[in-house]
Amino acid sequence: MTSDEIPSVEYVEGSGIPVRGNDIDTDQIIPARFMKVVTFDGLGEFAFFDQRFDHDDNQKEHPFNDDKYQDANVLVVNANFGCGSSREHAPQALVRWGIDAIIGESFAEIFAGNCLALGVPTVTADSETIEALQEWIEANPDGTIEVDVADETVTYGGKTIDVTVNEAQRKALVDGIWDTTALMKSNTEAIEKTAASLPYVGSEVNKEAADD
Amino acid sequence: MSEGTLYDKVWENHRVTTLPNGQDQLFVGLHLIHEVTSPQAFGMLRERDIEVARPDLTHATVDHIVPTDARDRPFANDAAEEMMAELEENVHAAGIDFDDPTTGNQGIVHVIGPEQGLTQPGMTIVCGDSHTATHGAFGALAFGIGTSQIRDVLATQTIAMDKKKVRKIEVTGELGECVTAKDVILTIIRRLGTDGGVGYVYEYAGEAIENLDMEGRMSICNMSIEGGARAGYVNPDETTYEWLAETDEFEDDLERFEELKAYWESIASDADAEYDDVVTIDGSEIEPVVTWGTTPGQGIGISEPIPEPDSLPADKQETARRAQKHMRVEPGDTMDGYNIDVAFLGSCTNARLPDLRAAAEIVEGRQVDESVRAMVVPGSQRVKAAAEREGLDDVFIEAGFDWRDAGCSMCLGMNDDQLVGDEASASSSNRNFVGRQGSKDGRTVLMSPVMVAAAAIEGEVTDVRELPKAEVKA
């Protein structure tokens, strides 16, 4: 992918799915035993696995198992969502399950960064706002939620509320520069200059690299 | 905004440019990789036909899935073997140094970097593992990253990041008997919250931190992420330099050591540096800490009562109730006497030589309770070899511990070392999340290595300071 092929993510629309609780960690989002893989393909079915299934693989009560939310793409969570590991497997599992945007009270930093790298906005609002939205989704599982990343608003049930999007995230999503590889690679000269200025990188190491 | 801190200086030294989204592009001095989070990144590079930019600044090990008993190839577990083979292929094709188990240098990524002298002050270090914060113990800026960022670093040796605020955490006074670095960091996380560090980098300072050895500082920085801070660091000082002088990187190259020392000294926080926040904690008041719940912030002193959920801040109450139900503990009780089935001495937090030495001192001349499955998993092959030279393996084995090979093991249960059913473990690791140690009903109590040793002996969580002393060998 080159930078001009990266889609802009200004706006996400769809139905919601609430997952309640603070401090939902990455081990809950995708248990470590499902990470014994060399690609992210197929991780969607393991999202929240241990919350969804008992020892005999019978379904437990969980929004991700609930028929009414199977087409949802806007996840609504509470505080400190995604804390714990840096595993990108967590947002990858959610995205592959069908999630395109997450609204919450707050997110762990690496998790939010990983979401951005996948073009998934993580927008925040206070706990009352989130609570109200979660209740509305439960009453209106087919209702449409519009996440406007550019304008920092969420619209549902005929009302529009203000939400917060981290400024760098907003710009990256709206301008279509959230996939940073090509963008950063274009600064080769400046990278080399910075490397050369660092005493520990030094010329000796550069020479070694050249010899390889 | 902070000014004149190590964080400000190292950030500025590594800043390549400011990207159009407002983030800074930072040069990465050391990229550590392992088998779990890198294969997909190499896959993305192949899709885009991009080569690894700086294999010379990249270093690989295998830790999460590696068995800690039978390590003959192919590994018994097919998925583990596939991940290992994939890593081998990737690093070989790119010309990246790889500490596989045949080298004697294999181990947990956050143990091998420091012990080989790869980790140095004033560096930027990244790895696809949240405990990369460990390397901050040397005065490096070290961040855990996701796989798409690993792709960025492999492709460009740089990373896009937001600058954070700096909170100085001063731990004053002297730590009491059997009170360790682990107790200090569990106290900090309890005090500031598991999300208290979001938006911050933590600078650990004060007498109690300065008096710690490098391993203790690593334990503290390691768990910065459990407090929500993506990175934590300690300013480099004589303790740091003495440690570094004996590593592979410098033991035969004094000239380079002196040259770099000037840089290391220059990047330490200025005496009049400005911080966004300062927190002071009295180290002399800390007692051995254990967790009663399912986040690392749910910790208490060994003599303190488990809190009543209603007495906690509103946003912590529901999590506390759920945690107490899972752990089967009652408010008002202490954790002293909580039955355990497994004792796990290992992980990137606490499986270094001094951790093993301290635990062995407690274990020597005693027996592991017959109800307990106890294991020691050294952090690296070098730690294991050094411990064996001192005879620590005999101490543990005679007491009834399993003496294993290096790896992440039961910290997260990606290999065969896992809790079974609703077993409870006393663990020197970093996370007590539900399901973390391989079983969704498993219960994890976090504590220091000496407290794990005491729990193994007693078969229950116990105050290491009150273990009867008389039984120590004749």
Side-chain angles (χ1 to χ4, degrees):
Chain A
M1 194 177 347
T2 57
S3 57
D4 52 1
E5 289 166 350
I6 302 167
S8 155
V9 185
E10 286 181 50
Y11 177 84
V12 177
E13 181 188 296
S15 62
I17 174 168
V19 171
R20 291 169 184 268
N22 295 334
D23 300 311
I24 291 181
D25 56 74
T26 45
D27 281 82
Q28 291 180 54
I29 299 171
I30 178 122
R33 62 182 186 280
F34 299 119
M35 287 162 53
K36 273 187 171 168
V37 288
V38 294
T39 75
F40 292 125
D41 301 342
L43 286 185
E45 61 182 294
F46 302 122
F48 293 113
F49 193 89
D50 288 346
Q51 272 67 46
R52 291 165 61 198
F53 299 96
D54 68 13
H55 284 294
D56 305 316
D57 287 339
N58 296 315
Q59 286 200 359
K60 296 198 286 190
E61 210 173 294
H62 190 277
F64 271 57
N65 283 342
D66 197 326
D67 285 344
K68 67 184 179 198
Y69 298 129
Q70 291 311 303
D71 296 327
N73 63 340
V74 178
L75 176 63
V76 184
V77 299
N78 299 100
N80 201 27
F81 187 79
C83 58
S85 161
S86 63
R87 63 184 69 153
E88 190 169 305
H89 304 67
Q92 288 275 2
L94 297 175
V95 166
R96 281 155 205 270
W97 187 85
I99 299 301
D100 296 322
I102 315 182
I103 306 171
E105 290 173 45
S106 61
F107 296 91
E109 261 166 40
I110 303 181
F111 179 83
N114 285 338
C115 286
L116 176 61
L118 303 179
V120 174
T122 47
V123 316
T124 57
D126 62 46
S127 58
E128 289 78 26
T129 305
I130 295 293
E131 175 80 27
L133 179 55
Q134 287 174 331
E135 281 173 12
W136 182 83
I137 295 170
E138 281 158 358
N140 303 276
D142 297 325
T144 300
I145 301 171
E146 297 166 70
V147 182
D148 194 322
V149 177
D151 280 355
E152 300 188 66
T153 60
V154 168
T155 302
Y156 69 96
K159 65 174 173 177
T160 297
I161 52 169
D162 288 329
V163 294
T164 304
V165 186
N166 167 288
E167 185 50 31
Q169 183 190 119
R170 195 179 71 86
K171 203 156 169 34
L173 290 171
V174 172
D175 293 351
I177 48 172
W178 46 270
D179 184 317
T180 32
T181 305
L183 184 67
M184 295 205 296
K185 210 165 163 40
S186 65
N187 296 326
T188 311
E189 218 168 282
I191 296 171
E192 276 168 18
K193 206 172 140 206
T194 305
S197 75
L198 292 164
Y200 70 87
V201 178
S203 54
E204 198 185 339
V205 183
N206 286 327
K207 191 174 142 288
E208 245 177 55
D211 289 345
D212 277 343
Chain B
M1 280 311 272
S2 63
E3 214 180 292
T5 70
L6 179 145
Y7 178 68
D8 295 296
K9 297 184 199 181
V10 177
W11 187 279
E12 203 43 49
N13 287 344
H14 290 77
R15 203 173 67 83
V16 172
T17 185
T18 301
L19 295 168
N21 65 10
Q23 288 186 309
D24 279 347
Q25 181 176 1
L26 289 190
F27 187 78
V28 171
L30 174 64
H31 184 197
L32 298 164
I33 60 174
H34 60 82
E35 76 284 10
V36 182
T37 54
S38 73
Q40 305 85 350
F42 280 104
M44 295 181 212
L45 283 199
R46 280 193 293 272
E47 273 171 30
R48 299 178 189 199
D49 200 19
I50 297 175
E51 304 240 312
V52 176
R54 294 296 301 257
D56 58 314
L57 302 180
T58 313
H59 198 95
T61 186
V62 57
D63 51 12
H64 284 62
I65 54 94
V66 73
T68 58
D69 43 11
R71 312 180 83 161
D72 290 342
R73 299 289 300 278
F75 294 146
N77 183 294
D78 290 342
E81 176 59 30
E82 191 191 353
M83 293 174 88
M84 178 69 172
E86 181 88 11
L87 181 65
E88 282 173 324
E89 207 176 299
N90 286 331
V91 297
H92 181 72
I96 294 166
D97 283 342
F98 177 32
D99 294 325
D100 74 47
T102 66
T103 60
N105 294 325
Q106 174 267 338
I108 308 176
V109 65
H110 312 307
V111 177
I112 66 146
E115 77 186 357
Q116 295 180 27
L118 301 171
T119 299
Q120 296 163 21
M123 274 185 170
T124 44
I125 300 177
V126 299
C127 173
D129 188 291
S130 60
H131 294 108
T132 307
T134 310
H135 306 265
F138 290 78
L141 289 190
F143 306 97
I145 57 175
T147 296
S148 295
Q149 290 171 303
I150 297 174
R151 172 199 67 205
D152 282 356
V153 180
L154 289 173
T156 68
Q157 201 59 29
T158 63
I159 188 166
M161 282 198 122
D162 288 325
K163 199 159 179 225
K164 307 292 176 200
K165 293 184 278 191
V166 185
R167 173 179 290 145
K168 183 180 191 177
I169 302 177
E170 272 183 306
V171 186
T172 60
E174 222 172 292
L175 301 179
E177 185 200 354
C178 288
V179 176
T180 70
K182 181 64 155 291
D183 304 302
V184 172
I185 187 63
L186 285 171
T187 299
I188 290 171
I189 298 167
R190 175 192 182 186
R191 166 101 171 256
L192 299 174
T194 48
D195 55 357
V198 173
Y200 286 94
V201 157
Y202 284 171
E203 175 175 311
Y204 302 102
E207 191 188 345
I209 303 287
E210 286 158 18
N211 288 341
L212 290 172
D213 59 16
M214 289 312 294
E215 288 85 352
R217 295 177 186 185
M218 284 187 248
S219 298
I220 293 202
C221 291
N222 173 275
M223 289 188 69
S224 300
I225 190 70
E226 315 309 340
R230 196 157 177 189
Y233 65 86
V234 177
N235 277 300
D237 61 8
E238 285 308 318
T239 305
T240 323
Y241 307 142
E242 279 170 29
W243 208 90
L244 281 161
E246 288 173 18
T247 59
D248 304 3
E249 284 290 301
F250 301 111
E251 60 181 356
D252 299 320
D253 198 349
L254 252 181
E255 206 179 316
R256 187 163 159 76
F257 180 81
E258 289 302 330
E259 210 178 280
L260 283 176
K261 194 175 163 190
Y263 170 64
W264 301 338
E265 286 171 335
S266 77
I267 52 96
S269 293
D270 297 333
D272 60 353
E274 285 173 31
Y275 296 87
D276 298 286
D277 189 29
V278 179
V279 171
T280 305
I281 288 174
D282 184 350
S284 67
E285 287 184 356
I286 299 174
E287 61 170 345
V289 178
V290 294
T291 55
W292 52 265
T294 55
T295 82
Q298 291 167 328
I300 41 169
I302 183 67
S303 68
E304 277 182 83
I306 295 162
E308 179 70 56
D310 292 343
S311 71
L312 298 172
D315 61 331
K316 302 284 173 213
Q317 295 180 4
E318 194 238 322
T319 316
R321 268 182 220 110
R322 244 189 305 142
Q324 292 184 356
K325 189 170 168 231
H326 179 85
M327 295 299 291
R328 297 189 222 143
V329 296
E330 293 293 331
D333 290 352
T334 66
M335 285 300 287
D336 202 342
Y338 185 82
N339 269 314
I340 61 139
D341 309 291
V342 172
F344 171 59
L345 181 52
S347 89
C348 60
T349 312
N350 277 125
R352 297 181 177 81
L353 192 56
D355 299 319
L356 271 44
R357 276 187 195 138
E361 233 173 86
I362 302 297
V363 163
E364 186 154 26
R366 297 188 165 111
Q367 282 297 313
V368 169
D369 189 88
E370 57 186 21
S371 67
V372 175
R373 187 154 61 95
M375 64 168 88
V376 185
V377 183
S380 70
Q381 290 183 309
R382 287 193 190 193
V383 167
K384 187 182 189 200
E388 286 175 353
R389 282 196 294 276
E390 294 180 15
L392 302 184
D393 53 333
D394 292 336
V395 174
F396 284 114
I397 292 166
E398 277 165 28
F401 276 86
D402 230 3
W403 179 252
R404 291 179 168 252
D405 277 322
C408 298
S409 180
M410 198 186 265
C411 177
L412 83 171
M414 272 190 76
N415 68 358
D416 294 331
D417 305 341
Q418 303 189 350
L419 292 182
V420 180
D422 65 354
E423 280 184 330
S425 74
S427 294
S428 69
S429 54
N430 41 53
R431 288 187 179 140
N432 49 349
F433 298 152
V434 173
R436 174 72 181 177
Q437 294 191 296
S439 165
K440 54 184 160 184
D441 298 322
R443 295 165 290 151
T444 304
V445 184
L446 302 178
M447 59 187 78
S448 71
V450 288
M451 286 288 281
V452 171
I457 303 299
E458 296 289 299
E460 57 186 38
V461 175
T462 193
D463 188 341
V464 61
R465 298 168 301 182
E466 287 171 10
L467 262 195
K469 292 191 171 137
E471 298 156 37
V472 179
K473 65 179 173 182

